[in-house]
């Protein structure tokens, strides 16, 4: 299963390396968990990370999880097929994340991901996905990073 971390960061983050740090975290997650099998129903698990200045908060609400079984879309003029993709969104505290160093940033993201995934309700169309095993592996990944 592929795990991706799409990001929405406000302009203030252009002065930081947060986008690179999140890309590194995504690579580490894929290395650690990408070969694990959790069921047939999810091929790509997207955890969207939103962190914007409070003045933009009202424009970036966290939506409920979405699941796409099979859909053809056009992205920047290129046809793309979305297949068995589950999308989850979470929002980070701007001040805390903006001021954090790389290690603290990983901890902040890890805490937010674990909190979000712990309480997630999968759509009824997802029948073959071991949510508990996935959560356990994500939890182990972030706990290992702290030690």
């Amino acid at each position: 299963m592929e795990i991706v971390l799409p990001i929405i960061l406000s302009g203030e983050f252009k002065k930081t390396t947060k986008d690179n740090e999140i890309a590194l975290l995504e690579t580490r997650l894929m290395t650690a968990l990408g070969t694990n099998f959790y069921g047939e129903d999810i091929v790509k698990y997207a955890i969207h990370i939103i962190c914007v200045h409070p003045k933009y908060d009202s424009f970036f609400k966290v939506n409920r999880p979405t699941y796409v079984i099979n859909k053809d879309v056009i992205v920047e003029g290129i046809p793309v097929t979305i297949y068995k993709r589950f999308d989850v969104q979470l929002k980070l505290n701007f001040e805390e994340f903006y001021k954090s160093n790389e290690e603290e940033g990983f901890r902040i993201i890890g805490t937010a991901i674990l909190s979000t995934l712990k309480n997630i309700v999968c759509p009824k169309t997802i029948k073959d996905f071991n949510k508990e095993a996935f959560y356990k592996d994500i939890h182990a990944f972030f706990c290992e990073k702290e030690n």
Side-chain angles (χ1 to χ4, degrees), residues 29-126:
L29 268 169
M30 272 305 297
T31 301
L33 306 175
T35 58
N36 295 4
F37 181 76
Y38 300 103
E40 295 286 337
D41 284 352
I42 298 178
V43 172
K44 183 180 272 189
Y45 203 113
I47 304 169
H48 297 257
I49 298 171
I50 302 168
C51 190
V52 295
H53 191 279
K55 65 184 173 185
Y56 304 119
D57 254 357
S58 62
F59 299 107
F60 297 94
K61 299 289 183 196
V62 173
N63 297 316
R64 66 180 187 203
T66 59
Y67 179 61
V68 176
I69 296 172
N70 194 5
K71 183 177 183 181
D72 293 322
V73 296
I74 307 243
V75 178
E76 297 177 1
I78 301 169
V80 176
T81 298
I82 300 173
Y83 181 71
K84 293 186 178 181
R85 178 177 165 138
F86 188 59
D87 288 78
V88 176
Q89 295 180 344
L90 59 89
K91 193 182 280 191
L92 303 178
N93 177 285
F94 174 82
E95 291 294 327
E96 183 182 23
F97 188 63
Y98 184 77
K99 293 177 181 178
S100 68
N101 62 31
E102 184 176 353
E103 186 178 321
E104 292 166 339
F106 284 169
R107 182 191 52 76
I108 292 166
I109 292 170
T111 301
I113 287 174
L114 290 171
S115 173
T116 300
L117 296 185
K118 185 174 189 171
N119 301 314
I120 201 115
V121 176
C122 291
K124 292 179 181 175
T125 51
I126 297 175

